[in-house]
Amino acid sequence: MPISINSPKTGFIFWTIILSCIVFTWSDVVFDSRVIPKWIAASIIAIIIIIFNATSILFLKRHRLKLFSDMTNMLTAISLVISVLSIYGIIQYHTYQIHAAVTGSYDNPAGFAATLSSGPPFIMLGMCIKDKILRNLHITAFALSSIAILISGSRAGMVCLALVFLLGGHKFTTKRPWLKWILVLIWLSVLTVELFVKADSAAGRILIWTCSLKMMEGHWLFGYGPGGFKSHYMDFQADYLASHPGSPYALLADTVQYPFNEYLNILTDYGLVGLAFVLLFIGYMVYRYFRNRTAERLAALLGIVSVAVFALFSYPLMYPFVWFILIYSSAVLLSDIRFHFRFSTAAKKLTACAALAGCMYFGYRLYVWTEAEIRWKQVADKMVFEDTVITEYERIYDTLSEDRYFLYNYSYVLYRSENYGKGYEVASECRKLWADYDLELLLGMLSEKLDRSTEALTHYTLASNMCPNRLRPLYLLMKLCDRSGAADKALCYAKKLCDKPVKIPSGETARMKREAEDYMKSRMNY
């Protein structure tokens, strides 16, 4: 059924501003300039909306906000923002060099594609609007987003787009039944591309998924807790590659922060219990749609399905726009539920007061955290390692003590300023939160400075096992054994270093290989 337009333009402006903030906000005043500012903007917007509604309940007799209920405004806002983001990416594609990634307003193609692929269900719904101008806007937005997903190279985005069009295209665009077979062929073609394009990337993900399932042994029910994947995964990758020295994955292995699968990430962090909640949520949303099938509810269901499918191959939940689509889609699917009880006026006002208090506390914590992030970026950009810099790190330590990147950066500053004892202490705190290749190298270098050769050997060996294709751990092991008087071991590491194939040639790798060759020659002559 075509959608009628009978709401004020204020709602369109309101939602366009909100969606623009959570899609386009970025700032160089923090380290993660493309993602963190979007979450800060989303948090501020959420606080403002809650405060506005809470004060309306407390001080206004009528507090129904039609501004938040009209779907046409939302569809138009989504299409407009997606169109602008798509044009941004297309301009990048034509401006950048041939090997540069298309990222739009994000830091990588995954965030760009995750945002674009979550919008088409609502854009397709907008293509049914009566108003010709708005209908053409939605058609243009769909075409632009399809082109942008294609040039981003995101296979997950292509799969989601094809699936959404397969499941809902015939409902929103045409009634011709033969179109379903064309959609099936498109879907099979995209799956074929998914299997055969970028084979190395697919093989790397198989390694990640294999090691992730291995680390679940003994933790199936509740997982490792929040951040469990980041704090344990690389240790299991190291064990796997150390026990499979001839594995074809050895040359592909890299430092991994995310399993490229949201369900696997939830499983490692929260176990089968957490995963069950997620699957039950998806299943319940499907159930709500079949209870009352309408075009609007189909678009909402496809919004959730698109994110759910994208989550099989990437990390869409890292981006606020995707969360917005999930929340809005859930609200649409749950909108037909009727409650048989009403809150009293006193209960409503008490809830509003609690919401205001919560917003004040969260707003203060957000301000403190944001200020610490900005100060950290400012002091890190100076690239100096003196007492004033360390003092600044100490001031913001309490606020950012759970941030693994801050702890790593802090420990490196302490290492460069020759404060090795404190540096090792901070790096050890970081190790509890993060199993990482670079962190192991830093711990090894700090151990060496503290005359703990055995610990340094352990850290360097673990780093080498985490990423067997890297040359630097073997180089540091060669130097450590040579200084420790273990010439035979040093010669063994030098030979491994010389025989190791280079994944990415550089001046640094050439220098390390040259030093290893010179060391082998000197020992043989000796």
Side-chain angles (χ1 to χ4, degrees):
M1 294 268 315
I3 301 170
S4 62
I5 304 172
N6 54 12
S7 62
K9 297 179 181 179
T10 310
F12 162 67
I13 297 172
F14 175 83
W15 285 118
T16 301
I17 292 173
I18 286 182
L19 295 182
S20 297
C21 288
I22 64 177
V23 169
F24 297 110
T25 302
W26 65 276
S27 174
D28 287 329
V29 300
V30 293
F31 270 99
D32 194 343
S33 62
R34 297 297 179 121
V35 177
I36 287 180
K38 291 178 174 60
W39 278 109
I40 294 174
S43 300
I44 293 172
I45 289 169
I47 290 173
I48 292 173
I49 291 176
I50 293 172
I51 290 176
F52 183 78
N53 281 276
T55 52
S56 297
I57 292 172
L58 288 174
F59 303 110
L60 300 179
K61 293 182 178 180
R62 293 185 179 182
H63 43 266
R64 292 194 312 163
L65 301 176
K66 294 182 179 180
L67 183 67
F68 305 123
S69 61
D70 186 83
M71 197 172 202
T72 302
N73 290 328
M74 179 66 73
L75 299 180
T76 308
I78 289 174
S79 287
L80 182 60
V81 171
I82 290 294
S83 296
V84 174
L85 180 63
S86 300
I87 293 171
Y88 190 176
I90 293 169
I91 291 173
Q92 284 182 339
Y93 181 75
H94 287 288
T95 303
Y96 289 178
Q97 296 179 355
I98 190 169
H99 297 297
V102 176
T103 61
S105 60
Y106 293 85
D107 58 344
N108 60 60
F112 180 63
T115 297
L116 291 176
S117 62
S118 61
F122 294 101
I123 295 174
M124 289 165 57
L125 177 61
M127 292 161 65
C128 301
I129 288 177
K130 289 181 179 180
D131 186 275
K132 185 176 180 180
I133 296 176
L134 289 181
R135 189 169 65 249
N136 289 336
L137 168 65
H138 295 296
I139 293 172
T140 303
F142 187 83
L144 288 172
S145 61
S146 300
I147 295 170
I149 290 173
L150 181 64
I151 64 176
S152 73
S154 170
R155 293 164 296 169
M158 297 176 198
V159 168
C160 289
L161 184 64
L163 179 61
V164 167
F165 198 55
L166 172 64
L167 296 178
H170 64 287
K171 285 277 188 181
F172 298 131
T173 60
T174 180
K175 299 298 182 182
R176 297 180 179 88
W178 54 264
L179 182 60
K180 294 181 181 180
W181 295 106
I182 295 179
L183 297 175
V184 170
L185 291 176
I186 294 173
W187 172 240
L188 292 176
S189 300
V190 173
L191 280 181
T192 302
V193 172
E194 175 74 19
L195 290 174
F196 292 102
V197 174
K198 299 180 181 178
D200 286 351
S201 175
R205 295 191 183 197
I206 291 174
L207 169 65
I208 296 170
W209 296 344
T210 300
C211 295
S212 297
L213 292 176
K214 182 70 175 175
M215 71 184 282
M216 290 308 298
E217 295 179 1
H219 295 82
W220 284 104
L221 192 57
F222 297 108
Y224 288 87
F229 182 87
K230 300 177 184 69
S231 59
H232 294 89
Y233 170 79
M234 289 299 291
D235 291 330
F236 284 87
Q237 178 171 296
D239 289 342
Y240 178 86
L241 294 174
S243 59
H244 298 79
S247 172
Y249 299 130
L251 189 61
L252 302 173
D254 204 344
T255 184
V256 178
Q257 306 300 321
Y258 219 82
F260 295 98
N261 185 304
E262 291 286 5
Y263 305 100
L264 203 51
N265 190 57
I266 292 168
L267 180 65
T268 54
D269 285 6
Y270 304 104
L272 290 172
V273 173
L275 184 60
F277 275 108
V278 173
L279 297 179
L280 284 173
F281 163 76
I282 296 174
Y284 184 67
M285 291 299 107
V286 174
Y287 166 76
R288 293 309 313 175
Y289 167 71
F290 282 102
R291 288 269 298 180
N292 181 15
R293 303 186 197 185
T294 64
E296 292 84 356
R297 294 165 67 80
L298 176 60
L301 178 62
L302 291 180
I304 293 175
V305 168
S306 180
V307 175
V309 172
F310 199 98
L312 288 169
F313 311 104
S314 192
Y315 37 88
L317 298 185
M318 190 177 292
Y319 306 101
F321 183 84
V322 174
W323 278 98
F324 179 88
I325 291 294
L326 286 176
I327 294 170
Y328 183 67
S329 298
S330 302
V332 172
L333 289 168
L334 297 175
S335 61
D336 63 337
I337 296 179
R338 296 292 179 263
F339 295 100
H340 299 291
F341 60 91
R342 292 179 177 273
F343 288 101
S344 65
T345 302
K348 289 180 181 179
K349 291 191 175 184
L350 184 62
T351 302
C353 289
L356 286 174
C359 286
M360 290 176 63
Y361 173 77
F362 182 76
Y364 170 74
R365 296 298 304 169
L366 179 64
Y367 168 76
V368 171
W369 179 83
T370 303
E371 184 186 34
E373 282 279 336
I374 294 172
R375 289 168 65 184
W376 172 29
K377 180 65 162 56
Q378 290 173 342
V379 72
D381 284 346
K382 294 178 181 178
M383 292 299 293
V384 294
F385 310 98
E386 52 192 30
D387 291 342
T388 55
V389 171
I390 295 175
T391 301
E392 190 64 26
Y393 271 95
E394 290 174 349
R395 287 176 180 170
I396 58 179
Y397 171 80
D398 289 339
T399 304
L400 301 178
S401 60
E402 298 297 320
D403 187 324
R404 62 189 188 279
Y405 296 117
F406 168 78
L407 292 176
Y408 174 82
N409 197 261
Y410 184 17
S411 60
Y412 179 74
V413 169
L414 290 168
Y415 168 76
R416 290 294 302 270
S417 61
E418 301 183 359
N419 192 342
Y420 304 123
K422 180 67 173 177
Y424 188 86
E425 180 183 328
V426 174
S428 297
E429 290 181 39
C430 184
R431 187 60 174 82
K432 296 175 184 177
L433 303 173
W434 194 26
D436 180 70
Y437 164 84
D438 291 310
L439 180 59
E440 288 300 325
L441 291 183
L442 180 58
L443 282 164
M445 292 187 292
L446 287 164
S447 298
E448 272 199 84
K449 295 297 184 180
L450 295 170
D451 295 323
R452 301 174 185 171
S453 298
T454 303
E455 289 185 27
L457 183 68
T458 301
H459 290 301
Y460 292 151
T461 302
L462 181 56
S464 182
N465 291 335
M466 285 178 172
C467 301
N469 54 68
R470 303 285 182 90
L471 274 61
R472 186 161 179 77
L474 294 175
Y475 174 78
L476 293 173
L477 284 166
M478 178 188 73
K479 291 290 188 179
L480 175 64
C481 291
D482 181 53
R483 286 191 293 269
S484 302
D488 292 341
K489 289 185 177 181
L491 190 61
C492 180
Y493 287 122
K495 186 177 186 306
K496 287 182 179 180
L497 181 56
C498 290
D499 295 339
K500 180 77 66 176
V502 178
K503 184 178 180 180
I504 302 177
S506 67
E508 180 70 9
T509 57
R511 180 187 65 80
M512 289 187 288
K513 275 186 169 288
R514 186 168 58 251
E515 286 192 34
E517 291 171 357
D518 293 342
Y519 182 80
M520 290 178 65
K521 291 177 182 178
S522 66
R523 295 307 302 174
M524 290 177 180
N525 292 334
Y526 178 77

